[in-house]
Amino acid sequence: VVTSYGSTSTTSVTESSGTWAKVGEATASSRANTTIFTKVATGTDTAPTFTATLAGTEQMTCFLIELTGQDPNAPVITYAAATGTTSPLTATTIGLVPTLGCYAISGWNAVTASSSAVTWTPGTSWTNASQTGTTTTAVDHAYCDVYASPPAGAVLAEIGTHAVTSTYMSGMIIVVQ
């Protein structure tokens, strides 16, 4: 999960080796971007290098999550992308969770009107894995939540919520099997 922010603009995030697959991205008002990449690793892979062209005040955050036991041929089975200007913001997958035992990862980027620490509330049944919101007093805050074994046969959603007036917000979900 990669988030990028530019107070003037941010472009699509790219990965330099070409071995990571971009699942998708969500960009709110050309300033708050959330992108998710995946890779079926061999165990000796080096960490990726991500880039974006940012203008104005800039920040990028990367959350790297390693999973084992997923389908090496088609690990991502559905995803969601959402953008908006208010909190809460809901991201809902475009497909169903097919079976029990899947794992969901969400990434969020919240750009606030002024620099401050932000309290993030993960959606119901989601657990926050990492964040920058409560540890930095900046305008850009990144969050990564996970959901172990979401219910099979339904779409999956997360409502990302924080308590500060938001200017831009973007979020993505992937479900892996």
Side-chain angles (χ1 to χ4, degrees):
V1 176
V2 181
T3 65
S4 62
Y5 159 73
S7 62
T8 304
S9 66
T10 183
T11 63
S12 272
V13 176
T14 59
E15 189 275 322
S16 63
S17 74
T19 61
W20 289 71
K22 182 187 285 190
V23 175
E25 66 185 329
T27 305
S29 300
S30 74
R31 294 195 174 113
N33 179 287
T34 302
T35 307
I36 296 183
F37 291 85
T38 62
K39 178 178 182 172
V40 176
T42 62
T44 59
D45 300 289
T46 59
T49 301
F50 298 105
T51 58
T53 302
L54 308 170
T57 303
E58 307 162 356
Q59 180 172 327
M60 285 185 75
T61 303
C62 177
F63 300 108
L64 187 60
I65 298 175
E66 182 178 348
L67 302 174
T68 59
Q70 281 61 48
D71 181 340
N73 299 313
V76 177
I77 51 171
T78 190
Y79 70 95
T83 62
T85 57
T86 60
S87 172
L89 180 66
T90 302
T92 304
T93 58
I94 61 171
L96 303 178
V97 175
T99 61
L100 291 175
C102 291
Y103 195 80
I105 301 166
S106 72
W108 298 88
N109 191 0
V111 178
T112 56
S114 60
S115 297
S116 63
V118 175
T119 300
W120 176 255
T121 304
T124 302
S125 300
W126 290 82
T127 302
N128 183 252
S130 189
Q131 64 174 301
T132 64
T134 58
T135 58
T136 64
T137 52
V139 296
D140 184 52
H141 306 282
Y143 309 92
C144 182
D145 299 338
V146 296
Y147 190 151
S149 200
V155 295
L156 184 61
E158 182 178 20
I159 301 172
T161 306
H162 60 83
V164 175
T165 301
S166 178
T167 307
Y168 311 104
M169 194 167 170
S170 60
M172 285 204 65
I173 297 171
I174 62 169
V175 177
V176 296
Q177 62 179 348

